[in-house]
Amino acid sequence: MDLKRYDDAELTYAEAGATRTGELPEGYRHLRRSYPMGDGASLGRAADALLTWRMHAALGLSPRATAPRAAPGVVVASRLGIGPLAIVAPCRVVWTVEEDRRAGFAYGTLPGHPESGEESFLLEVAGDGSMSFTVSSFTRPGRWYTRVAWPLVSLAQRFFVGRYASALRRHTR
């Protein structure tokens, strides 16, 4: 997968960074799910798995990125499936955060992605020491086949979000 083809590609939506504020734009399907990470979860280990694409790889998505760690401007393309039936989902990281009690990033879709929009992944440690993982997104169909199968695509996205949380839980222990 040649990521250089995305060097100058523009995002396929106008509202870049909206997941950072939490005010998701109209005209998209919104998704926001939070998951407790469990007792003894380590922000450092979870953040490392999240920011180095291991969470995505744990789901079999075969991510390829222009950098080993998420940072604004990094392009990552995840591939699901094999051969000519594989779906490639190119994205660009639009924001990151790495603080004492929070870590995460958001990426936005590039041309060729099945959807159009943005998705963020955020780990947060509360005052009582508990950690949660929140995924927020706003999406709409980006290709003809996602328009046709939109209800199924929406179900698949919710399924993947839950799997992301499970993968991070495994990495935090």
Side-chain angles (χ1 to χ4, degrees):
M1 184 175 351
D2 181 20
L3 298 180
K4 289 181 188 256
R5 66 191 264 190
Y6 302 110
D7 283 351
D8 297 322
E10 297 288 328
L11 296 171
T12 60
Y13 64 102
E15 303 87 348
T19 56
R20 186 172 208 148
T21 66
E23 294 187 31
L24 304 181
E26 292 184 27
Y28 297 86
R29 186 180 57 77
H30 298 168
L31 175 70
R32 184 173 285 131
R33 297 275 192 275
S34 288
Y35 301 88
M37 296 308 291
D39 294 336
S42 163
L43 177 62
R45 285 193 297 270
D48 189 54
L50 174 62
L51 296 169
T52 61
W53 318 113
R54 287 185 309 187
M55 177 189 75
H56 288 76
L59 272 65
L61 293 176
S62 303
R64 296 278 254 227
T66 57
R69 193 168 182 86
V74 169
V75 171
V76 59
S78 294
R79 182 181 177 98
L80 179 63
I82 56 172
L85 298 178
I87 295 172
V88 177
C91 295
R92 179 170 288 115
V93 176
V94 295
W95 62 262
T96 59
V97 61
E98 288 188 72
E99 299 170 350
D100 290 342
R101 302 179 76 77
R102 296 184 333 139
F105 73 94
Y107 53 30
T109 57
L110 294 172
H113 195 290
E115 297 175 311
S116 177
E118 188 172 293
E119 188 169 38
S120 69
F121 308 92
L122 186 62
L123 292 159
E124 293 183 282
V125 178
D128 65 2
S130 64
M131 185 169 58
S132 63
F133 171 61
T134 302
V135 178
S136 298
S137 69
F138 58 93
T139 55
R140 59 184 170 206
R143 306 287 295 249
W144 69 266
Y145 54 86
T146 48
R147 281 182 192 87
V148 170
W150 191 240
L152 292 175
V153 171
S154 297
L155 284 173
Q157 187 180 36
R158 286 193 295 275
F159 170 77
F160 271 95
V161 166
R163 301 267 311 178
Y164 285 142
S166 295
L168 277 183
R169 279 191 201 105
R170 287 191 303 274
H171 282 292
T172 62
R173 302 216 168 10

